[in-house]
Amino acid sequence: MTVAAMNVSKSIAERLSRFKVADLRDLARVTGLGGLPTRKADLAAAVGAHLTSHAPGSSNAAPVVLSIDVGYRNLAWALADDRRVHAWRRETLVPAAAEKSESESESETKARIYEPTVFARAVLSLTQNMAGAVTEARAAYGADPAQLHVVIERQRSMGPAQGSLTVFMVNMVEGMLWSSVLHPAFLREPLGAPLRGVSLPPGQVSQWFEHGSTGGKSKSKSKKTAATAMVDRVLRDAAMAGKGELAIAYQADVAQPKLTSSLALDASLAAAFAAEKKRDDMADALLQAAASLDWLRNARDVARRIEAGEAMVPFMYADVGFRAVFGPQDS
């Protein structure tokens, strides 16, 4: 860490030490930091480290998000920056998973397709395609690969006595994905810094948009239905932004007044989503990208304000306690 970065870290840490636990949790929430410790000192340290990594001095380039919704039969991913969605698609990671005879049971299908080397080759091919999309986004729109954040929602896990083969295979794919994208050869070019990987706690995205909650199969199904409905609504209300492009706008329900974010989306991507039979996975991937961009934008703004010693006002975080956080104590 450079001397300048150490000074930024110290400045942010000193100011956060005056915040209450509830305020620190609010800061974590609007900047996308999950899996929080309970002790105030540990919480302040976690939030401080998170904000320091997004301080203005670290980079002024726009973040790029590669969002992956894990699966072996239905895997979806989206690549976006703060201006546009560059890629958005669903993949059948292991084609044999979609091939099932009428006489074959579900358990027999899973046993037939379970072959680690097949999964590994499929994941490697997929991540190479993702890297190609990053390269294309750079060539066409100037997206900076050095600002890439790979975001994957953490998959559920069970003990050996409880775990099903489906859960096991999805967990295996998740691990293979992280091994592939975190490998130095992933983007085939030096980034100058380690690639940023974010393993999101389950439910964090749905809580950001307030269309679902964690826990239970029925709740998970309800969350997916709501996510699909939200993306349907966003695309239905989209305005034409140019030749073959849509301007999609979405809102996170945690902000009062609600802040509307917008992204350009090629009309062909919207058409592909409309034609999909398994749209919930694509919806999850897109909303995860959108939420991550919100959090990255908020983190950079909060870090800048804290470092500058500004008295923050509740311009976009009003209902999560920021009037208390950035009120009299900063005046």
Side-chain angles (χ1 to χ4, degrees):
M1 184 181 288
T2 65
V3 173
M6 290 177 64
N7 289 337
V8 170
S9 177
K10 184 178 180 181
S11 171
I12 291 176
E14 287 177 349
R15 302 200 76 199
L16 290 180
S17 67
R18 303 200 300 270
F19 290 4
K20 298 177 181 178
V21 169
D23 297 331
L24 290 170
R25 290 188 175 279
D26 289 339
L27 271 173
R29 184 187 183 197
V30 298
T31 58
L33 180 60
L36 302 175
T38 54
R39 292 180 62 247
K40 179 182 177 180
D42 295 336
L43 179 59
V47 174
H50 181 60
L51 293 179
T52 297
S53 69
H54 294 89
S58 58
S59 175
N60 290 318
V64 183
V65 170
L66 173 57
S67 165
I68 305 173
D69 186 68
V70 179
Y72 63 88
R73 180 178 287 127
N74 298 298
L75 181 148
W77 59 281
L79 177 69
D81 58 25
D82 63 353
R83 293 167 295 179
R84 66 184 304 108
V85 178
H86 297 286
W88 183 29
R89 63 194 66 156
R90 182 188 67 82
E91 315 264 2
T92 298
L93 188 64
V94 182
E99 302 166 3
K100 182 178 181 298
S101 67
E102 292 183 4
S103 61
E104 188 177 53
S105 68
E106 187 71 17
S107 60
E108 288 172 332
T109 302
K110 293 170 184 174
R112 172 174 57 79
I113 66 174
Y114 171 59
E115 173 51 60
T117 58
V118 172
F119 277 64
R121 290 190 181 96
V123 168
L124 181 59
S125 175
L126 172 68
T127 54
Q128 288 173 342
N129 290 339
M130 292 173 173
V134 174
T135 301
E136 291 174 8
R138 178 181 189 176
Y141 300 102
D144 186 357
Q147 300 305 314
L148 183 65
H149 296 70
V150 178
V151 183
I152 303 176
E153 185 178 67
R154 198 171 307 142
Q155 300 304 295
R156 64 191 178 113
S157 59
M158 298 181 181
Q162 302 169 302
S164 68
L165 187 56
T166 297
V167 173
F168 172 75
M169 288 193 290
V170 170
N171 290 156
M172 181 174 65
V173 170
E174 180 184 16
M176 288 179 175
L177 281 167
W178 279 123
S179 295
S180 294
V181 299
L182 293 178
H183 193 280
F186 169 52
L187 292 178
R188 306 186 191 90
E189 62 178 291
L191 298 181
L195 185 144
R196 301 166 180 85
V198 181
S199 180
L200 285 180
Q204 187 167 321
V205 172
S206 63
Q207 290 167 18
W208 181 247
F209 291 113
E210 294 189 355
H211 63 230
S213 57
T214 59
K217 187 173 182 179
S218 61
K219 289 184 179 180
S220 176
K221 185 176 181 180
S222 174
K223 183 190 75 171
K224 282 184 169 291
T225 300
T228 305
M230 179 177 178
V231 173
D232 276 334
R233 184 174 67 253
V234 165
L235 294 179
R236 185 182 64 245
D237 296 341
M240 292 301 297
K243 187 176 181 180
E245 280 192 355
L246 300 174
I248 61 172
Y250 61 93
Q251 293 179 327
D253 287 347
V254 299
Q256 297 292 338
K258 294 178 180 177
L259 178 74
T260 299
S261 301
S262 62
L263 295 169
L265 175 76
D266 193 285
S268 64
L269 297 179
F273 174 76
E276 267 289 342
K277 292 182 179 180
K278 197 71 171 60
R279 296 187 303 153
D280 56 315
D281 301 294
M282 288 186 68
D284 285 343
L286 183 65
L287 292 180
Q288 184 170 270
S292 297
L293 288 167
D294 281 347
W295 295 328
L296 289 167
R297 189 183 303 113
N298 292 350
R300 180 172 293 186
D301 184 74
V302 171
R304 176 185 65 79
R305 288 169 178 269
I306 291 180
E307 184 192 359
E310 293 184 18
M312 287 185 62
V313 294
F315 60 102
M316 65 178 290
Y317 318 119
D319 75 331
V320 288
F322 273 34
R323 276 170 290 194
V325 175
F326 298 103
Q329 60 184 326
D330 286 336
S331 58

